[in-house]
């Protein structure tokens, strides 16, 4: 078995892309609540202040999806390891999402 075949067994590209899209979608929904909820933006933020958070936060969400995907091998173990892996996966995703929201809103709503 070659290294390339071995790598294909470890990484399933379709599953990875699906997790990335799920993470980016969740992040886009969360940041949209913040961004589109602003009625009177501060003039110091600039005309296109929404672009940065609407790009950076879904990118961070896709990174959270990658983290969730790579924790999948622990979730298949069963028992207490599965419970810990699920909690760790969700906690890791939430931390990465939180950091993406901070980076996206830095200089505008997050001071």
């Amino acid at each position: 078995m070659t290294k390339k075949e071995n790598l294909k067994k470890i990484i399933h590209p379709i599953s990875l892309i699906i997790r990335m899209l799920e993470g980016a979608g969740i992040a886009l929904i969360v940041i949209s609540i913040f961004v589109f909820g602003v009625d009177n933006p501060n003039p110091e933020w600039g005309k296109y202040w929404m672009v940065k958070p609407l790009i950076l936060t879904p990118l961070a969400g896709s990174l959270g999806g990658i983290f969730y995907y790579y924790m999948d091998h622990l979730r298949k173990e069963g028992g207490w390891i599965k419970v810990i892996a699920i909690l760790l996966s969700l906690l890791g995703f939430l931390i990465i999402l939180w950091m993406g929201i901070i980076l996206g809103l830095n200089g505008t709503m997050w001071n």
Side-chain angles (χ1 to χ4, degrees), residues 49-100:
W49 70 274
M50 291 185 213
V51 174
K52 182 181 168 189
L54 289 175
I55 291 175
L56 282 177
T57 307
L59 284 175
S62 67
L63 289 176
I66 291 171
F67 178 76
Y68 193 85
Y69 171 79
Y70 280 115
M71 294 296 292
D72 194 38
H73 68 281
L74 289 176
R75 286 191 299 272
K76 292 181 181 177
E77 292 291 323
W80 284 103
I81 294 176
K82 180 178 180 176
V83 173
I84 292 171
I86 289 171
L87 292 175
L88 186 62
S89 298
L90 291 175
L91 181 66
F93 176 77
L94 289 175
I95 289 172
I96 293 170
L97 178 63
W98 176 64
M99 291 173 62

Side-chain angles (χ1 to χ4, degrees), residues 14-52:
I14 301 300
S15 299
L16 178 61
I17 291 171
I18 288 172
R19 294 289 187 209
M20 289 174 66
L21 289 174
E22 289 172 346
I26 291 169
L28 183 63
I29 290 169
V30 170
I31 198 66
S32 294
I33 292 169
F34 289 110
V35 169
F36 295 122
V38 175
D39 293 330
N40 299 318
N42 191 340
E44 295 176 359
W45 296 349
K47 187 175 180 180
Y48 300 107
W49 70 274
M50 291 185 213
V51 174
K52 182 181 168 189

